Amino acid sequence: MAPELNRPEIVAELTAMSDRYETALGTNDIAELDTLFYQGPETVRYGVGETLYGFDEIAAFRRNRTGGSPPRDVLRRHITAIGTDTGTVDLEFRRHGGERIGRQSQTWIRTPQGWKIIAAHVSLMADIS
């Protein structure tokens, strides 16, 4: 039996969480970013220039990153709810002043503490000029 996809209320919840993440990222709200990630060794974040395994490595990266993430505009976002407790958020973005397209993928899970990111991947597309 295939999982139920894209129940409107679950897509709405994931949309709100994605918006919350983007706000925290844009304001470099480290405490909020920590809250949004699953705080366990299972959590993974592959960044543009870093590979982080476990919440502790992710939190340390955020604390040591001067100035936070470069400002960006979201160009496109695609959300897929898988059942009621899992979903993915994939988006394309462009950093302010940049030409390259960035991509971000997140896997969210529902926990007793609410929705949490358990896997994330950020990359920049190659310069094609």
Side-chain angles (χ1 to χ4, degrees):
M1 180 176 179
E4 183 178 8
L5 299 177
N6 295 329
R7 287 178 58 168
E9 68 274 19
I10 306 304
V11 171
E13 290 176 21
L14 289 166
T15 299
M17 295 308 297
S18 176
D19 290 344
R20 192 171 150 188
Y21 177 86
E22 286 299 314
T23 298
L25 189 68
T27 60
N28 198 34
D29 185 340
I30 293 171
E32 176 74 347
L33 290 166
D34 284 351
T35 298
L36 295 173
F37 275 79
Y38 182 75
Q39 296 188 12
E42 303 84 0
T43 307
V44 176
R45 180 183 178 278
Y46 296 150
V48 173
E50 65 284 344
T51 301
L52 307 168
Y53 290 95
F55 174 79
D56 291 342
E57 287 186 16
I58 295 166
F61 166 77
R62 293 237 184 261
R63 279 163 185 64
N64 293 324
R65 187 177 195 186
T66 305
S69 181
R72 67 188 193 177
D73 294 313
V74 174
L75 306 175
R76 185 175 180 177
R77 178 171 60 179
H78 184 81
I79 296 174
T80 303
I82 305 162
T84 59
D85 299 324
T86 308
T88 61
V89 176
D90 298 285
L91 57 84
E92 295 177 32
F93 64 87
R94 181 177 290 122
R95 291 177 172 169
H96 292 181
E99 295 298 321
R100 294 169 70 187
I101 300 296
R103 298 174 291 189
Q104 174 182 290
S105 297
Q106 297 172 329
T107 301
W108 291 77
I109 58 170
R110 187 189 305 273
T111 73
Q113 295 75 37
W115 286 102
K116 304 292 179 184
I117 299 164
I118 196 161
H121 189 158
V122 183
S123 62
L124 295 173
M125 301 219 13
D127 186 0
I128 56 172
S129 57

